Amino acid sequence: MVAKFLPLAVLALALAACKPQQPAAPAAAPPTAPAPAAGTAVGQSDVVQQTAQIPQLQVQTVDGKAYDLASHRGQWVVINFWATWCSPCLQEMPELSALHAMRANIEVIGLAYEDIELAEMQAFLKEHPVAYPIAIIDTYEPPKDFATPRGLPMTYLIAPDGKVAKQFLGPVNAQDIEQTIAAAGGKVG
């Protein structure tokens, strides 16, 4: 019985270890203040509770190129929110990189959800190279069409028609992604 719940306990610990750092609440805020509603200001950002059915994403990657999700229609796109300090995120990077390199119909983009300077990220990527593009996301102004990550890694699989096919909370691997594509009637390969 205990062995049955062990994988769930390990997953819960892994997810708890990779919660994004949130700005501290103002000292003057009463401890019993209700949580802000979706779309209301929290510090400098808006907390988005739900991802758009057909999300838009336009970012600049760390290599200076523009990335527009809409230009990848017709392909499966893996959008991976991650951070350099997140151990499960780092563990999934090599497999996501191989998936991106080996599958012509699957694209991956990494969105670094942390406060990090461009030079620091470029140095990190020299030590941890990946085949897919990486963009640094401002934690105070995250992409409006995606729910604000409450844990990392957070991964979205976008179908060729631009709709969210599946959201994964926690580590993901190529098999998870390929099974989801196959279950949706898509071709893997």
Side-chain angles (χ1 to χ4, degrees):
M1 179 83 164
V2 173
K4 183 178 180 180
F5 294 104
L6 186 60
L8 293 174
V10 171
L11 178 61
L13 287 172
L15 292 175
C18 288
K19 297 268 187 200
Q21 298 169 341
Q22 297 293 326
T32 58
T40 59
V42 174
Q44 297 178 7
S45 69
D46 291 336
V47 176
V48 178
Q49 299 295 328
Q50 186 171 347
T51 298
Q53 184 179 10
I54 301 177
Q56 301 296 310
L57 177 66
Q58 296 176 333
V59 293
Q60 184 157 358
T61 61
V62 296
D63 61 0
K65 296 179 181 173
Y67 181 91
D68 185 355
L69 178 60
S71 69
H72 295 270
R73 290 287 186 329
Q75 293 183 303
W76 291 90
V77 179
V78 177
I79 300 174
N80 179 249
F81 285 83
W82 69 286
T84 59
W85 46 262
C86 171
S87 180
C89 300
L90 302 182
Q91 291 173 358
E92 71 182 1
M93 288 174 73
E95 193 158 347
L96 291 176
S97 186
L99 181 70
H100 177 83
M102 295 172 60
R103 301 288 188 212
N105 66 330
I106 302 174
E107 296 286 327
V108 178
I109 182 165
L111 302 180
Y113 189 71
E114 65 181 302
D115 186 19
I116 188 170
E117 295 296 323
L118 178 60
E120 291 175 274
M121 179 57 73
Q122 289 169 333
F124 175 85
L125 291 172
K126 284 182 182 175
E127 297 291 320
H128 305 276
V130 292
Y132 55 89
I134 299 286
I136 299 171
I137 300 302
D138 184 346
T139 57
Y140 292 106
E141 293 292 331
K144 299 293 183 208
D145 282 358
F146 290 89
T148 302
R150 294 296 180 192
L152 296 174
M154 174 74 72
T155 304
Y156 294 89
L157 178 61
I158 309 298
D161 63 1
K163 293 182 181 176
V164 175
K166 185 159 183 167
Q167 174 183 342
F168 301 89
L169 176 58
V172 67
N173 60 43
Q175 183 179 1
D176 296 334
I177 293 166
E178 290 173 340
Q179 285 177 345
T180 302
I181 290 171
K187 183 181 175 201
V188 178

